[in-house]
PDB file of all heavy atoms in Angstrom:
ATOM      1  N   GLN C 798      -3.564 -29.632  76.277  1.00 90.00           N
ATOM      2  CA  GLN C 798      -2.145 -29.373  76.129  1.00 90.00           C
ATOM      3  C   GLN C 798      -1.839 -29.132  74.625  1.00 90.00           C
ATOM      4  O   GLN C 798      -2.589 -29.513  73.746  1.00 90.00           O
ATOM      5  CB  GLN C 798      -1.345 -30.591  76.511  1.00 90.00           C
ATOM      6  CG  GLN C 798      -1.186 -30.759  78.016  1.00 90.00           C
ATOM      7  CD  GLN C 798      -0.270 -31.909  78.320  1.00 90.00           C
ATOM      8  OE1 GLN C 798       0.241 -32.576  77.435  1.00 90.00           O
ATOM      9  NE2 GLN C 798      -0.072 -32.132  79.606  1.00 90.00           N
ATOM     10  N   THR C 799      -0.689 -28.550  74.404  1.00 93.00           N
ATOM     11  CA  THR C 799      -0.211 -28.412  73.071  1.00 93.00           C
ATOM     12  C   THR C 799       0.551 -29.661  72.706  1.00 93.00           C
ATOM     13  O   THR C 799       0.836 -30.541  73.569  1.00 93.00           O
ATOM     14  CB  THR C 799       0.745 -27.223  72.856  1.00 93.00           C
ATOM     15  OG1 THR C 799       1.886 -27.477  73.647  1.00 93.00           O
ATOM     16  CG2 THR C 799       0.094 -25.941  73.341  1.00 93.00           C
ATOM     17  N   LEU C 800       0.893 -29.805  71.458  1.00 92.00           N
ATOM     18  CA  LEU C 800       1.664 -30.960  71.009  1.00 92.00           C
ATOM     19  C   LEU C 800       2.973 -31.015  71.769  1.00 92.00           C
ATOM     20  O   LEU C 800       3.468 -32.103  72.116  1.00 92.00           O
ATOM     21  CB  LEU C 800       1.932 -30.785  69.484  1.00 92.00           C
ATOM     22  CG  LEU C 800       2.806 -31.870  68.807  1.00 92.00           C
ATOM     23  CD1 LEU C 800       2.190 -33.229  68.949  1.00 92.00           C
ATOM     24  CD2 LEU C 800       3.034 -31.524  67.337  1.00 92.00           C
ATOM     25  N   GLU C 801       3.515 -29.824  72.056  1.00 91.00           N
ATOM     26  CA  GLU C 801       4.824 -29.794  72.717  1.00 91.00           C
ATOM     27  C   GLU C 801       4.662 -30.035  74.228  1.00 91.00           C
ATOM     28  O   GLU C 801       5.655 -30.125  74.928  1.00 91.00           O
ATOM     29  CB  GLU C 801       5.481 -28.428  72.495  1.00 91.00           C
ATOM     30  CG  GLU C 801       5.863 -28.120  71.041  1.00 91.00           C
ATOM     31  CD  GLU C 801       4.696 -27.658  70.178  1.00 91.00           C
ATOM     32  OE1 GLU C 801       3.576 -27.380  70.747  1.00 91.00           O
ATOM     33  OE2 GLU C 801       4.863 -27.561  68.953  1.00 91.00           O
ATOM     34  N   GLY C 802       3.436 -30.092  74.690  1.00 90.00           N
ATOM     35  CA  GLY C 802       3.160 -30.424  76.076  1.00 90.00           C
ATOM     36  C   GLY C 802       2.966 -29.195  76.995  1.00 90.00           C
ATOM     37  O   GLY C 802       2.848 -29.387  78.196  1.00 90.00           O
ATOM     38  N   ALA C 803       2.856 -28.044  76.421  1.00 92.00           N
ATOM     39  CA  ALA C 803       2.587 -26.846  77.232  1.00 92.00           C
ATOM     40  C   ALA C 803       1.114 -26.823  77.626  1.00 92.00           C
ATOM     41  O   ALA C 803       0.247 -27.245  76.873  1.00 92.00           O
ATOM     42  CB  ALA C 803       2.949 -25.547  76.497  1.00 92.00           C
ATOM     43  N   SER C 804       0.821 -26.305  78.772  1.00 93.00           N
ATOM     44  CA  SER C 804      -0.530 -26.299  79.253  1.00 93.00           C
ATOM     45  C   SER C 804      -1.324 -25.152  78.657  1.00 93.00           C
ATOM     46  O   SER C 804      -0.960 -23.960  78.784  1.00 93.00           O
ATOM     47  CB  SER C 804      -0.561 -26.153  80.813  1.00 93.00           C
ATOM     48  OG  SER C 804      -1.861 -25.815  81.192  1.00 93.00           O
ATOM     49  N   LEU C 805      -2.395 -25.484  77.992  1.00 94.00           N
ATOM     50  CA  LEU C 805      -3.226 -24.450  77.390  1.00 94.00           C
ATOM     51  C   LEU C 805      -4.120 -23.780  78.436  1.00 94.00           C
ATOM     52  O   LEU C 805      -4.500 -22.627  78.282  1.00 94.00           O
ATOM     53  CB  LEU C 805      -4.111 -25.050  76.310  1.00 94.00           C
ATOM     54  CG  LEU C 805      -3.267 -25.326  75.046  1.00 94.00           C
ATOM     55  CD1 LEU C 805      -4.046 -26.281  74.105  1.00 94.00           C
ATOM     56  CD2 LEU C 805      -2.955 -24.066  74.271  1.00 94.00           C
ATOM     57  N   ALA C 806      -4.420 -24.518  79.526  1.00 93.00           N
ATOM     58  CA  ALA C 806      -5.223 -23.872  80.586  1.00 93.00           C
ATOM     59  C   ALA C 806      -4.475 -22.700  81.211  1.00 93.00           C
ATOM     60  O   ALA C 806      -5.009 -21.645  81.455  1.00 93.00           O
ATOM     61  CB  ALA C 806      -5.590 -24.930  81.610  1.00 93.00           C
ATOM     62  N   ASP C 807      -3.157 -22.959  81.418  1.00 94.00           N
ATOM     63  CA  ASP C 807      -2.380 -21.884  82.003  1.00 94.00           C
ATOM     64  C   ASP C 807      -2.320 -20.646  81.045  1.00 94.00           C
ATOM     65  O   ASP C 807      -2.433 -19.531  81.488  1.00 94.00           O
ATOM     66  CB  ASP C 807      -0.900 -22.347  82.211  1.00 94.00           C
ATOM     67  CG  ASP C 807      -0.833 -23.333  83.379  1.00 94.00           C
ATOM     68  OD1 ASP C 807      -1.899 -23.550  84.003  1.00 94.00           O
ATOM     69  OD2 ASP C 807       0.253 -23.880  83.576  1.00 94.00           O
ATOM     70  N   PHE C 808      -2.148 -21.008  79.760  1.00 95.00           N
ATOM     71  CA  PHE C 808      -2.040 -19.935  78.802  1.00 95.00           C
ATOM     72  C   PHE C 808      -3.372 -19.106  78.761  1.00 95.00           C
ATOM     73  O   PHE C 808      -3.365 -17.864  78.758  1.00 95.00           O
ATOM     74  CB  PHE C 808      -1.792 -20.574  77.418  1.00 95.00           C
ATOM     75  CG  PHE C 808      -1.727 -19.595  76.256  1.00 95.00           C
ATOM     76  CD1 PHE C 808      -1.085 -18.372  76.399  1.00 95.00           C
ATOM     77  CD2 PHE C 808      -2.371 -19.895  75.053  1.00 95.00           C
ATOM     78  CE1 PHE C 808      -1.017 -17.492  75.303  1.00 95.00           C
ATOM     79  CE2 PHE C 808      -2.287 -18.982  73.981  1.00 95.00           C
ATOM     80  CZ  PHE C 808      -1.638 -17.770  74.137  1.00 95.00           C
ATOM     81  N   LEU C 809      -4.468 -19.839  78.860  1.00 96.00           N
ATOM     82  CA  LEU C 809      -5.784 -19.147  78.827  1.00 96.00           C
ATOM     83  C   LEU C 809      -5.891 -18.262  80.107  1.00 96.00           C
ATOM     84  O   LEU C 809      -6.266 -17.110  79.999  1.00 96.00           O
ATOM     85  CB  LEU C 809      -6.890 -20.167  78.814  1.00 96.00           C
ATOM     86  CG  LEU C 809      -8.288 -19.633  78.980  1.00 96.00           C
ATOM     87  CD1 LEU C 809      -8.637 -18.639  77.871  1.00 96.00           C
ATOM     88  CD2 LEU C 809      -9.345 -20.728  78.995  1.00 96.00           C
ATOM     89  N   GLN C 810      -5.459 -18.840  81.246  1.00 96.00           N
ATOM     90  CA  GLN C 810      -5.630 -18.095  82.509  1.00 96.00           C
ATOM     91  C   GLN C 810      -4.768 -16.809  82.434  1.00 96.00           C
ATOM     92  O   GLN C 810      -5.252 -15.710  82.813  1.00 96.00           O
ATOM     93  CB  GLN C 810      -5.226 -18.966  83.677  1.00 96.00           C
ATOM     94  CG  GLN C 810      -5.685 -18.419  85.005  1.00 96.00           C
ATOM     95  CD  GLN C 810      -7.154 -18.080  84.977  1.00 96.00           C
ATOM     96  OE1 GLN C 810      -8.030 -18.920  84.627  1.00 96.00           O
ATOM     97  NE2 GLN C 810      -7.528 -16.828  85.361  1.00 96.00           N
ATOM     98  N   LYS C 811      -3.541 -16.939  81.943  1.00 96.00           N
ATOM     99  CA  LYS C 811      -2.707 -15.761  81.872  1.00 96.00           C
ATOM    100  C   LYS C 811      -3.342 -14.698  80.989  1.00 96.00           C
ATOM    101  O   LYS C 811      -3.325 -13.501  81.279  1.00 96.00           O
ATOM    102  CB  LYS C 811      -1.338 -16.137  81.304  1.00 96.00           C
ATOM    103  CG  LYS C 811      -0.398 -16.614  82.370  1.00 96.00           C
ATOM    104  CD  LYS C 811       0.987 -16.970  81.783  1.00 96.00           C
ATOM    105  CE  LYS C 811       1.738 -17.874  82.777  1.00 96.00           C
ATOM    106  NZ  LYS C 811       2.690 -18.763  82.080  1.00 96.00           N
ATOM    107  N   THR C 812      -3.862 -15.155  79.815  1.00 96.00           N
ATOM    108  CA  THR C 812      -4.485 -14.207  78.904  1.00 96.00           C
ATOM    109  C   THR C 812      -5.695 -13.526  79.586  1.00 96.00           C
ATOM    110  O   THR C 812      -5.893 -12.344  79.477  1.00 96.00           O
ATOM    111  CB  THR C 812      -4.857 -14.929  77.619  1.00 96.00           C
ATOM    112  OG1 THR C 812      -3.774 -15.729  77.183  1.00 96.00           O
ATOM    113  CG2 THR C 812      -5.254 -13.973  76.518  1.00 96.00           C
TER     114      THR C 812
END
Side-chain angles (χ1 to χ4, degrees):
Chain C
Q798 281 186 1
T799 65
L800 177 61
E801 295 80 9
S804 164
L805 285 164
D807 289 355
F808 178 42
L809 174 61
Q810 196 50 52
K811 274 180 199 153
T812 312

